[in-house]
Amino acid sequence: MREAGMGAALIYVVGASGSGKDSLMRYARERLCTDPGICFAHRYITRPAGAGGENHVALTEEEFAARCQARLFALHWESHGLRYGIGIELNQWLGKGVTVVVNGSREYLHEAWKRYPELLPVHIEVAHDVLRERLLSRGRETPAQVEKRLARNRGLQSCGFHGTVIPNNETLDVAGEALVDLIRKCSGAFACA
């Protein structure tokens, strides 16, 4: 655990695969790139760098395990056969009063909250019919696998969510601006938790 600087906020963005979370975070990062008080943390993932989706740091299983052993991750979890981590640089940024935006995991949220009680969860939510259409159009999974993802998403939503919800059923800029506005309100002297 670490002491946060004045005005530092940890914004933990979650959403189902296909919700548009990566696109929204990319949109917000581009809009806020000149603000020295806001930083988007890269994830370390055991997935090849060119695999699409977010801009991440690719690690092998062995590299990831070594970094875990050296305690170089502030947060780390496993999901869908991959390992994800957020580096300990997160603590330095928060300690300097920088608002940090993290691409998180819904299943890991409670553990992240234990480590960072001031964390603000943000859920990117999309209607089930829109989510189904997006997942099918990607062509990465069979229709049966898509239905399994949708059922998992319903189960996670039924557990309740404490935090801010941003609907992403319209164009990217609508939800993107909502995320940008939220991050701006939480940065600097504003308290959002």
Side-chain angles (χ1 to χ4, degrees):
M1 198 81 64
R2 47 89 211 107
E3 294 295 318
M6 290 290 291
L10 176 58
I11 301 171
Y12 189 88
V13 183
V14 299
S17 180
S19 66
K21 178 176 66 163
D22 293 338
S23 297
L24 289 173
M25 290 188 68
R26 186 171 33 256
Y27 180 96
R29 184 174 41 248
E30 289 170 4
R31 295 270 287 118
L32 299 168
C33 68
T34 59
D35 189 324
I38 299 170
C39 184
F40 287 76
H42 284 85
R43 293 198 294 187
Y44 298 84
I45 308 176
T46 56
R47 176 173 62 202
E54 71 185 281
N55 178 13
H56 67 281
V57 179
L59 296 177
T60 65
E61 284 286 342
E62 295 78 14
E63 288 172 315
F64 196 98
R67 287 182 189 222
C68 277
Q69 189 175 5
R71 298 176 191 233
L72 297 179
F73 294 124
L75 303 167
H76 63 91
W77 62 92
E78 292 184 39
S79 182
H80 301 291
L82 298 172
R83 298 177 78 186
Y84 298 81
I86 307 293
I88 56 174
E89 60 269 21
L90 165 76
N91 298 330
Q92 293 171 320
W93 298 335
L94 290 170
K96 289 188 174 285
V98 173
T99 292
V100 181
V101 184
V102 171
N103 188 339
S105 163
R106 293 176 294 175
E107 294 169 305
Y108 188 73
L109 175 58
H110 292 292
E111 182 62 31
W113 232 331
K114 284 185 208 171
R115 295 178 187 213
Y116 298 90
E118 73 283 5
L119 174 147
L120 174 70
V122 176
H123 183 241
I124 307 303
E125 192 172 85
V126 63
H128 285 286
D129 57 331
V130 174
L131 183 58
R132 177 182 287 111
E133 184 180 313
R134 288 179 185 172
L135 290 171
L136 288 170
S137 69
R138 291 192 316 191
R140 289 190 227 164
E141 298 165 312
T142 66
Q145 290 170 320
V146 167
E147 292 305 317
K148 187 175 180 182
R149 273 198 183 270
L150 291 169
R152 179 177 171 269
N153 184 51
R154 281 187 208 97
L156 286 170
Q157 284 182 329
S158 68
C159 295
F161 183 79
H162 302 287
T164 300
V165 174
I166 296 179
N168 188 25
N169 297 308
E170 299 181 42
T171 60
L172 179 65
D173 61 317
V174 173
E177 285 302 317
L179 181 58
V180 167
D181 289 345
L182 175 70
I183 294 167
R184 281 187 174 140
K185 285 177 186 170
C186 291
S187 68
F190 293 98
C192 60

